[in-house]
Amino acid sequence: MKIVVLDGYTLNPGDLNWNGIRQYGELTVHDRTDFSPDNVIKTIGDADIVFTNKTPIPKSVLEKSPSVKYIGVLATGHNVVDTIAAKELGIIVTNIPTYGTSAVAQFTFALLLELCHHTGYHSEAVKNGDWTKSADFCFWNYPLIELAGKNMGLIGFGRIGQATAKIAQAFGLNVLAFDSYQNPALVNDTCRYVSLDELLENSDIISLHCPLSDSTKGIINKNTISRMKNGVMIINTSRGPLVDEQDLCDALNSGKVSGAAVDVVSAEPIAASNPLLKAKNCIITPHIAWAPKESRTRLMKIAVENLAAFAAGKPVNIVNL
Ligand code: NAD
């Protein structure tokens, strides 16, 4: 069996190994692959098995890669593959559902706490001499925000949403969850399901944890922002296109949204023209919520297990059933 990894560097920049996958065939690992369809087709060649993290595999690539039988997405979000076309062509596509739940929930709070305290900024200000020169025993240059008692709205209440809710509740936040699927067992004194309207109108913080799909693309836009509380904070650790970035930028600059923190943007790496780069009080991190070594080790292990299950004729974690 020929196996090709299209973009292995971010999963394994050198601190893990590919031996688990290598035992299933002749393996070629590319650190990265140019996204042009012609180049992706060439890189796939006559491989039976393809792994991709963020390299797009649209229908045009699938149609010209007749040897491919299995695509393993090295991530939870699988929007990079045209899964419907893959199904039509009899190609099984799997994802890694759970490797990063704790890491992404933790990172959501890293972003939220940075919005509340700007610890990085204040530490730099101290090192630049601002505290030495201060007339008082303390100073702060951003409003400092306490979370207890506020409402945190979670759009998407799956694995990461629920893990985020547990942390939120430990901080004394009330959780308002919006999801197309509801599990009554998750409701308690400080966590309830609400409609999207109710979430938008009552949340002090809104955090996105739904997948990118036709129904969620641009879910944060001029219209939905206008229904939010003045001064709301918005966090996106899910997928960039969930947010209309120009609309968010305008809302940040007008003060309607008091702060935003995004780990994902519409095009990655970020374009120099992305409006969020110049927006007021916007923290941007380079898609790192998933990337602690602990998570990546788990991801690699599950990728191997997915491939083993496929090779044994009993595939698991299929996303295009
Ligand atoms: P999950 O499948 O467990 O949960 C997603 C939830 O969203 C589900 O409960 C689903 O019912 C809900 N949902 C789907 N469509 C919806 C809609 N239109 N409206 C409301 N809710 C909807 O997935 P997860 O493990 O919690 O991951 C969530 C997302 O986080 C992934 O899709 C991925 O895009 C993103 N992610 C980002 C990183 C990162 O590094 N930044 C890492 C892992 C995952």
Side-chain angles (χ1 to χ4, degrees):
M1 237 171 14
K2 285 193 178 170
I3 309 172
V4 169
V5 179
L6 294 177
D7 50 0
Y9 183 80
T10 54
L11 168 59
N12 176 17
D15 53 359
L16 304 178
N17 70 67
W18 296 102
N19 295 344
I21 288 177
R22 186 170 285 116
Q23 64 185 320
Y24 289 92
E26 185 191 321
L27 174 67
T28 309
V29 179
H30 299 272
D31 277 350
R32 41 192 81 78
T33 291
D34 182 280
F35 283 5
S36 73
D38 283 349
N39 194 59
V40 178
I41 292 164
K42 202 167 124 209
T43 309
I44 290 174
D46 60 350
D48 306 275
I49 309 288
V50 177
F51 284 96
T52 179
N53 190 328
K54 294 289 172 287
T55 304
I57 308 189
K59 188 174 186 174
S60 61
V61 169
L62 293 170
E63 284 173 341
K64 293 201 174 142
S65 307
S67 57
V68 175
K69 299 168 189 71
Y70 172 91
I71 297 173
V73 180
L74 297 167
T76 305
H78 46 79
N79 49 290
V80 293
V81 181
D82 185 335
T83 49
I84 295 167
K87 188 178 174 184
E88 282 163 14
L89 293 163
I91 300 168
I92 287 175
V93 183
T94 64
N95 77 337
I96 315 282
T98 55
Y99 75 97
T101 303
S102 303
V104 181
Q106 175 182 321
F107 197 79
T108 300
F109 269 79
L111 294 176
L112 178 54
L113 293 175
E114 186 63 16
L115 283 174
C116 290
H117 302 290
H118 292 273
T119 47
Y121 163 85
H122 282 110
S123 175
E124 281 309 303
V126 168
K127 289 177 188 168
N128 287 336
D130 293 10
W131 199 12
T132 309
K133 287 182 244 149
S134 168
D136 303 303
F137 78 95
C138 66
F139 73 95
W140 58 92
N141 293 342
Y142 280 91
L144 301 171
I145 299 162
E146 184 177 271
L147 291 174
K150 292 193 166 54
N151 291 338
M152 184 167 191
L154 304 177
I155 299 182
F157 201 50
R159 296 178 188 93
I160 296 172
Q162 290 166 38
T164 303
K166 281 191 191 144
I167 304 174
Q169 288 171 300
F171 273 94
L173 286 154
N174 299 306
V175 174
L176 308 178
F178 169 66
D179 200 295
S180 31
Y181 168 80
Q182 300 199 357
N183 176 359
L186 299 173
V187 174
N188 55 46
D189 285 355
T190 54
C191 178
R192 64 192 170 94
Y193 284 103
V194 294
S195 66
L196 181 59
D197 277 339
E198 206 180 333
L199 183 148
L200 295 172
E201 284 160 23
N202 294 295
S203 298
D204 301 289
I205 303 130
I206 293 179
S207 188
L208 300 175
H209 300 289
C210 56
L212 175 62
S213 67
D214 289 344
S215 67
T216 58
K217 189 168 188 239
I219 195 165
I220 300 298
N221 58 45
K222 198 189 292 184
N223 212 334
T224 49
I225 291 172
S226 72
R227 280 139 67 197
M228 295 176 192
K229 279 186 169 187
N230 291 333
V232 64
M233 292 185 275
I234 296 176
I235 299 170
N236 186 10
T237 55
S238 200
R239 283 291 178 264
L242 296 174
V243 173
D244 182 310
E245 291 168 337
Q246 187 58 57
D247 289 355
L248 177 59
C249 172
D250 294 343
L252 282 161
N253 290 341
S254 74
K256 169 73 188 179
V257 174
S258 66
V262 301
D263 185 49
V264 286
V265 292
S266 54
E268 297 173 353
I270 195 165
S273 58
N274 189 306
L276 294 177
L277 285 168
K278 294 199 171 124
K280 242 163 79 182
N281 204 13
C282 185
I283 294 166
I284 308 174
T285 50
H287 203 147
I288 52 174
W290 68 287
K293 189 175 178 192
E294 293 86 343
S295 299
R296 289 184 292 107
T297 302
R298 220 174 289 126
L299 196 164
M300 184 70 94
K301 182 170 174 285
I302 299 168
V304 174
E305 288 166 1
N306 283 352
L307 180 57
F310 170 76
K314 292 183 180 160
V316 294
N317 296 325
I318 301 171
V319 294
N320 64 338
L321 272 176

